[in-house]
Amino acid sequence: MNFDFTEEQKLFADAVRRFAQAHLADGILARAHNPRFPFDVARLMSQQGLMGITVPAADGGQGGTLMDAIIAIEQVAAVCPRSSDVVQFGNFGPIRTFSEYATPAQKAKWLPDLLAGRAVMSLGISEPQAGSAATDLVTSAKPDGAHYVVNGTKLFSTFSPDANVFLVYVRYGPGVGGIGSVIVERGTPGFNIGPPSTFMSSEEWCELNFDDCRIPAENVLLGPGGFKKQIAGFNVERLGNASRALAFGRYCFNAAREYVATRKQFGRPLCEFQGLQWKFADMALKLEGAQLLLYRAVVNADRGLPSAYETSVAKAACNLAGFEIAHESLQAMGATGYSRDSIVEWCLRRTRGWMIAGGSVEILKNRIAEHVFERRFDQRGRQAAAAE
Ligand SMILES: Cc1cc2nc3c(=O)[nH]c(=O)nc-3n(C[C@H](O)[C@H](O)[C@H](O)COP(=O)(O)OP(=O)(O)OC[C@H]3O[C@@H](n4cnc5c(N)ncnc54)[C@H](O)[C@@H]3O)c2cc1C
């Protein structure tokens, strides 16, 4: 067991940090408060080799490891938290599932623009009646000659106002085995994108309506039975989500540490008051613990598929730590931290969302409990019915 980065990883981390300081340190607040996908940052990152880090070189990616991609998120977020969204969408988001399962023709069609930062892909899983119970989704895809006809509604898709292409979970038939996914391009007849709604974090999403939307059969990413593969890809997305949550917490922690080390009240720096020292000690415990859980899941994922259990533990720990640390850091910075001129309040709002998105903390705890008790707890209560 070794808790250090390799020399290669250290060099990569340094290079990403230098890139971020040179190109992203200015304008971090304006970038954070702008809900649009920062295509300018995406193009810069593409030139720097930070898009498609884990995508094989043969497909136009960098052929790196998941840990490299995590390092990129951490180093970028340490300078400009908002820009780490680009690392997420260029490496961990729907692009990751897409690049894993797409046909050569699908990759040739969509990957070049996604990896160059000219396009972004949005993910459509959630529906009005299918949130935590994602397998209740009803958006259907029915074959019709050389096409599929898609009908249904998706909600909350991140970057849906900006996305050119959408990875949409659909139902071909009944049950979990009937679920798969298709690719739908913006502008396809019958695909209607509603006006943007705003989350607490200022992120925007649009309702996506499919009304007899005909897509070519070549746009099927995964057919019936694809759900398990999609969730395996989604576990990678969860690790990116976890690393951003923790990196945002670390950003707030550093800002607050600087504040209490220099700000004087009652004639002394604030860090000399034990009430504040213990806040920082508690935050350090949360940061260190969640960081180790994240790295364990990532290193083991690099040896194969991410483990659902380790991913759940890492995401729950990082989501909770990120939010709690942002919250305590804001408190330690008083009205300065609460001000919109401070990025800490924005980080607090963002980290709050990750406790819901991509597998809420409660759903992750359900998964952890299954590991603890070594049995599956069907949330629909079906075992109870069978036992009667
Ligand atoms: C910032 C953000 C970004 C998002 N991005 C996307 C995206 O890109 N694409 C997409 O498809 N969706 C996205 N979502 C939606 C997200 O996936 C859902 O919000 C999530 O799955 C929860 O569903 P819900 O909001 O309908 O809550 P509900 O399912 O209605 O749950 C409400 C509450 O009950 C809890 N709960 C539900 N079931 C259980 C249970 N069995 N045991 C214990 N507690 C339970 C939940 O944890 C939650 O706290 C995003 C959401 C957010 C906040």
Side-chain angles (χ1 to χ4, degrees):
M1 196 176 283
N2 184 352
F3 290 101
D4 279 336
F5 283 150
T6 63
E7 280 311 307
E8 215 177 20
Q9 287 170 332
K10 283 182 198 159
L11 287 172
F12 178 63
D14 281 351
V16 179
R17 178 68 74 107
R18 275 187 274 108
F19 159 80
Q21 276 162 346
H23 298 284
L24 306 173
D26 286 342
I28 59 167
L29 199 59
R31 228 176 266 124
H33 289 172
N34 183 350
R36 297 274 71 80
F37 183 77
F39 283 106
D40 55 337
V41 173
R43 281 189 288 270
L44 271 177
M45 286 196 183
S46 174
Q47 288 157 16
Q48 185 69 16
L50 298 179
M51 304 289 269
I53 293 172
T54 60
V55 174
D59 293 332
Q62 306 298 319
T65 64
L66 197 56
M67 184 54 101
D68 294 334
I70 294 284
I71 289 171
I73 282 207
E74 291 179 348
Q75 295 301 325
V76 167
V79 176
C80 176
R82 168 64 161 165
S83 294
S84 64
D85 287 350
V86 177
V87 187
Q88 172 78 10
F89 273 74
N91 294 281
F92 294 89
I95 191 174
R96 187 68 176 72
T97 311
F98 174 78
S99 60
E100 192 77 31
Y101 301 116
T103 62
Q106 288 172 336
K107 288 182 193 174
K109 185 166 182 190
W110 287 297
L111 266 185
D113 279 350
L114 292 168
L115 293 175
R118 289 188 294 267
V120 65
M121 184 180 262
S122 184
L123 178 65
I125 306 178
S126 306
E127 298 184 358
Q129 302 308 326
S132 301
T135 54
D136 283 358
L137 67 89
V138 294
T139 295
S140 60
K142 294 205 177 346
D144 182 20
H147 288 79
Y148 276 79
V149 181
V150 181
N151 277 290
T153 300
K154 297 287 179 182
L155 304 179
F156 307 132
S157 295
T158 301
F159 291 128
S160 42
D162 302 295
N164 324 59
V165 59
F166 295 75
L167 195 166
V168 183
Y169 281 34
V170 291
R171 177 170 293 293
Y172 301 101
V176 175
I179 298 174
S181 53
V182 296
I183 304 297
V184 187
E185 289 181 302
R186 179 179 285 267
T188 306
F191 177 25
N192 305 309
I193 302 178
S197 298
T198 309
F199 278 136
M200 168 182 168
S201 56
S202 340
E203 291 166 277
E204 293 181 347
W205 58 273
C206 303
E207 185 171 307
L208 311 176
N209 280 298
F210 302 92
D211 184 10
D212 283 336
C213 173
R214 287 170 68 80
I215 55 162
E218 301 89 76
N219 284 23
V220 169
L221 180 66
L222 285 163
F227 186 72
K228 279 199 174 142
K229 287 182 176 173
Q230 285 163 196
I231 287 299
F234 196 58
N235 277 333
V236 177
E237 175 157 3
R238 284 177 167 164
L239 291 174
N241 171 317
S243 72
R244 271 184 306 164
L246 194 64
F248 278 39
R250 193 177 288 284
Y251 187 98
C252 295
F253 176 85
N254 287 334
R257 188 186 54 178
E258 174 69 18
Y259 182 89
V260 301
T262 52
R263 165 91 168 159
K264 284 188 179 163
Q265 289 295 282
F266 304 99
R268 304 161 69 187
L270 289 173
C271 68
E272 290 187 7
F273 296 105
Q274 192 179 55
L276 283 157
Q277 289 166 11
W278 282 15
K279 272 190 195 302
F280 282 82
D282 285 340
M283 286 192 270
L285 286 171
K286 287 175 184 166
L287 271 180
E288 304 280 10
Q291 188 78 71
L292 289 175
L293 290 171
L294 173 65
Y295 285 166
R296 178 183 70 168
V298 173
V299 168
N300 287 339
D302 268 331
R303 296 182 184 131
L305 281 176
S307 138
Y309 169 68
E310 289 184 0
T311 302
S312 300
V313 170
K315 183 175 183 286
C318 290
N319 287 165
L320 290 168
F323 173 69
E324 287 165 6
I325 292 166
H327 180 60
E328 284 294 11
S329 297
L330 187 152
Q331 184 71 13
M333 293 175 72
T336 302
Y338 190 57
S339 160
R340 289 237 163 159
D341 294 337
S342 146
I343 199 171
V344 168
E345 69 82 33
W346 178 78
C347 289
L348 173 74
R349 290 186 280 124
R350 279 305 296 279
T351 53
R352 185 66 188 83
W354 286 317
M355 290 163 67
I356 300 168
S360 67
V361 168
E362 292 78 15
I363 293 300
L364 297 170
K365 285 185 181 175
N366 289 344
R367 182 71 194 78
I368 295 166
E370 289 186 334
H371 183 87
V372 170
F373 291 102
E374 297 178 342
R375 54 176 283 205
R376 186 158 183 277
F377 296 110
D378 191 314
Q379 300 302 305
R380 294 163 210 276
R382 279 188 292 229
Q383 301 118 317
E388 280 169 10

